[in-house]
Amino acid sequence: MIPEEVENRIAKYFFHNYLPNEVMYEIIDKLLPPCIYTENEDLDIDELVRWGIEIINRELANKRSV
């Protein structure tokens, strides 16, 4: 099994180097407000991840249909 830290570092590398800027900004716009205005222990991490994945999946689907 691949250690979680290794997976996270690979994902972070991909996120920052290959995600188009407009997708990155859309994710930041969606995720930043709850992160700023909610205490860390009250954040729903699973929901934040789902939102980010939904944005990425939508953009990938749009690319396939072009």
Side-chain angles (χ1 to χ4, degrees), residues 30-47:
K30 177 77 174 180
L31 301 184
L32 192 57
C35 292
I36 290 174
Y37 299 113
T38 307
E39 296 293 327
N40 281 347
E41 58 273 357
D42 295 331
L43 280 173
D44 185 343
I45 301 300
D46 291 333
E47 183 176 36

Side-chain angles (χ1 to χ4, degrees), residues 2-15:
I2 298 172
E4 185 176 348
E5 181 181 348
V6 173
E7 289 180 347
N8 289 341
R9 289 175 67 183
I10 291 169
K12 193 179 292 186
Y13 175 84
F14 174 81
F15 188 80

Side-chain angles (χ1 to χ4, degrees), residues 46-60:
D46 291 333
E47 183 176 36
L48 294 173
V49 170
R50 271 192 303 279
W51 290 348
I53 290 171
E54 286 172 2
I55 292 168
I56 292 169
N57 282 337
R58 184 181 64 239
E59 291 300 320
L60 287 173

